[in-house]
Amino acid sequence: MQHQWAERRLAEQSQRPNDHRTPWQRDRARILHSAAFRRLQAKTQIMGIGQNDFYRTRLTHSLEAAQIGTALVAQLSYQQEDPALRSLLAQDSLMEALCLAHDLGHPPFGHGGEKALNACMQQFGGFEGNGQTLRIVGKLEPYTASGGMNLSRRTLLGLLKYPIVQPAPGQVEQGLTVKPCKAIYASDSDLLDWILSPLATADREAFQRTETLDKAPFLKSLYKSLDASIMELADDIAYGVHDLEDAIVTGTVSSEHWRRLAEPEMAKLPADIASALKHISQKLFIPEHHIRKDAIGALVNLLITSVELYQSLPQALDPLIRYNARLPEPQQQLLQLLKSFVYEAVILSPEVQRGEYKGQQIVRSLFDAFSSQAERLLPANTKNRWQRADNQQAQMRIICDYVSGMTDEYALRMHQQLFAASL
């Protein structure tokens, strides 16, 4: 079955004599050289582009996630006594490809922009960052005429954080804070079907099980592949640790913030983890950069070296969906503490929220303008796609593709062109 996971959806048209790269090395190259990847250099991670020249963008975050992802794979490989499990783990080039591509679908202005676009698209299939990532690599990026980057099936499987399809549109929620349903767009279900086609019927049914939530987005997928679980863990570690570093260095958070928000939660951790974190956190706010950097490295090491494999779907025949990676509960509590601290002390701060609100207004204004005046305002290539679309939902998806692909700076400049008082 392994050869099926290396297959591509479209037959390769270009000939590459003497190209001895693995499928995953070729996938990584296609991602690395794509316009969608380059745009990440000008997309918000947490703090807006241009506020400071130190902190991370979506691009530098993705590079760091790739390094952490390969370190997690190396740690898991070191632990494995079973050769079959060791050979199951992703090669470095595959894991790098996944981590480099995992944020390609994020729109301008971070999660605020994502919520705004989802509000605009409520009656037309919604918007969600991971669903947009699959759409970019599988259909939009012009490496092929219509098949996107034409990546290998296992690479696409590893990018699926939520391997389910968006439900039918429901009641429209008003405002800017509509949480997206974490799923693939219904219009891209053909691509999802192809990715999952090697799975036995029982495996696929189990893999795509969901649970219903009390609050929006109301639906949650329960499983992901082994590769996706490692990629997501790398993403979480990069977010929890390195975004904390950004916040400290730029003065967004202080030791007082840490004492007030983090230390009460530290007391709930197991004694050995709490002791290690207390020792590390004493160095986080020391002015000497190399001491703080050592503390950040120690945090990352503490998390990476605890990773373990487990059977998330024991009944599955295919090991790629039977196994997942995770942190043991104490280390997972530590990571959650770091992520919660960044969320409460940074993301919810008035400065960041004002920037997010402004970004949401820009995104909604641009979407409304292009959807109401598509013939006048869309660039030629996008307008041609819009004109060829055979229904309104497809047209709205094309406009959404265009707006979501903008960098923060481009969206701001476009907004000024359309709405500023001066010409």
Side-chain angles (χ1 to χ4, degrees):
M1 180 178 287
Q2 289 307 310
H3 73 281
Q4 291 181 291
W5 293 116
E7 288 177 345
R8 302 180 189 276
R9 196 177 185 199
L10 302 179
E12 296 283 67
Q13 301 300 316
S14 300
Q15 299 301 314
R16 298 287 189 269
N18 302 315
D19 186 350
H20 301 296
R21 293 175 298 171
T22 68
W24 330 125
Q25 289 172 325
R26 296 170 69 191
D27 287 351
R28 178 183 58 188
R30 293 178 187 188
I31 292 163
L32 193 61
H33 293 284
S34 68
F37 182 72
R38 289 194 298 276
R39 290 190 189 103
L40 296 179
Q41 67 186 305
K43 288 194 176 187
T44 293
Q45 173 65 8
I46 290 184
M47 292 177 267
I49 303 299
Q51 293 178 16
N52 189 290
D53 62 0
F54 169 83
Y55 55 73
R56 283 135 176 112
T57 64
R58 288 275 172 192
L59 187 142
T60 57
H61 161 76
S62 298
L63 293 171
E64 289 176 332
Q67 185 276 319
I68 293 172
T70 56
L72 288 167
V73 171
Q75 183 67 25
L76 289 168
S77 180
Y78 174 76
Q79 295 171 0
Q80 299 312 311
E81 297 181 359
D82 183 348
L85 280 181
R86 195 180 304 118
S87 65
L88 179 67
L89 294 168
Q91 295 178 16
D92 281 357
S93 51
L94 171 57
M95 186 50 54
E96 287 175 355
L98 298 178
C99 294
L100 292 174
H102 82 281
D103 268 352
L104 292 183
H106 268 285
F109 308 112
H111 288 289
E114 181 182 37
K115 292 175 185 176
L117 268 179
N118 186 51
C120 294
M121 290 290 293
Q122 277 291 284
Q123 294 294 348
F124 306 104
F127 177 84
E128 194 277 325
N130 189 247
Q132 191 67 18
T133 293
L134 183 67
R135 184 167 172 80
I136 288 170
V137 301
K139 294 189 174 181
L140 298 180
E141 186 69 24
Y143 188 91
T144 62
S146 60
M149 299 183 196
N150 199 29
L151 302 179
S152 305
R153 184 185 267 114
R154 180 167 173 174
T155 302
L156 294 174
L157 179 71
L159 286 173
L160 289 176
K161 292 171 67 173
Y162 320 108
I164 58 173
V165 173
Q166 291 265 10
Q171 182 179 0
V172 177
E173 297 185 45
Q174 300 300 316
L176 296 171
T177 58
V178 183
K179 291 184 177 180
C181 179
K182 297 184 179 299
I184 303 308
Y185 307 139
S187 58
D188 297 329
S189 61
D190 58 328
L191 180 55
L192 180 63
D193 287 340
W194 181 82
I195 295 169
L196 301 183
S197 59
L199 297 179
T201 301
D203 273 12
R204 176 167 176 172
E205 289 176 353
F207 186 56
Q208 292 190 287
R209 281 175 51 201
T210 61
E211 64 178 349
T212 303
L213 306 176
D214 293 332
K215 298 181 180 179
F218 303 114
L219 191 68
K220 179 183 178 183
S221 61
L222 295 175
Y223 301 105
K224 57 181 65 69
S225 70
L226 170 61
D227 298 336
S229 72
I230 300 173
M231 175 266 286
E232 188 170 43
L233 186 54
D235 182 25
D236 283 349
I237 293 173
Y239 164 72
V241 178
H242 291 131
D243 288 353
L244 169 64
E245 181 184 15
D246 274 2
I248 293 171
V249 173
T250 57
T252 307
V253 300
S254 64
S255 56
E256 192 280 328
H257 283 111
W258 182 264
R259 284 192 296 271
R260 178 165 52 85
L261 295 175
E263 288 189 356
E265 298 303 314
M266 286 169 56
K268 301 176 185 178
L269 296 172
D272 57 335
I273 300 294
S275 176
L277 180 57
K278 183 177 181 180
H279 177 71
I280 292 170
S281 63
Q282 288 172 348
K283 301 178 180 179
L284 287 175
F285 296 92
I286 292 176
E288 287 83 352
H289 184 75
H290 68 282
I291 295 177
R292 182 173 55 246
K293 200 67 183 175
D294 181 66
I296 292 295
L299 268 178
V300 174
N301 180 72
L302 180 61
L303 295 169
I304 288 176
T305 55
S306 66
V307 67
E308 62 185 16
L309 282 184
Y310 75 108
Q311 295 192 48
S312 60
L313 200 55
Q315 72 271 32
L317 297 175
D318 196 304
L320 279 179
I321 65 169
R322 184 190 315 146
Y323 291 95
N324 269 196
R326 68 181 177 190
L327 298 181
E329 186 59 29
Q331 286 80 6
Q332 183 58 44
Q333 287 178 261
L334 167 59
L335 179 55
Q336 188 57 50
L337 183 156
L338 297 174
K339 290 170 61 180
S340 297
F341 176 77
V342 170
Y343 182 76
E344 293 178 34
V346 182
I347 295 177
L348 294 183
S349 68
E351 294 79 12
V352 172
Q353 285 300 303
R354 289 169 194 151
E356 181 174 299
Y357 178 78
K358 180 179 179 180
Q360 289 175 313
Q361 299 290 349
I362 291 172
V363 166
R364 292 201 69 159
S365 297
L366 290 175
F367 186 92
D368 290 344
F370 289 121
S371 58
S372 63
Q373 300 288 328
E375 293 276 5
R376 295 176 62 193
L377 301 178
L378 287 175
N381 288 341
T382 306
K383 184 166 70 175
N384 289 338
R385 290 178 55 221
W386 182 87
Q387 290 170 333
R388 291 195 302 269
D390 54 11
N391 58 65
Q392 185 186 21
Q393 181 162 325
Q395 288 181 327
M396 289 298 191
R397 180 60 63 192
I398 289 166
I399 291 169
C400 184
D401 290 339
Y402 177 57
V403 175
S404 69
M406 294 179 178
T407 65
D408 295 19
E409 182 181 350
Y410 184 84
L412 181 58
R413 190 165 64 248
M414 180 64 70
H415 188 268
Q416 290 172 338
Q417 289 178 7
L418 292 176
F419 299 105
S422 59
L423 293 177

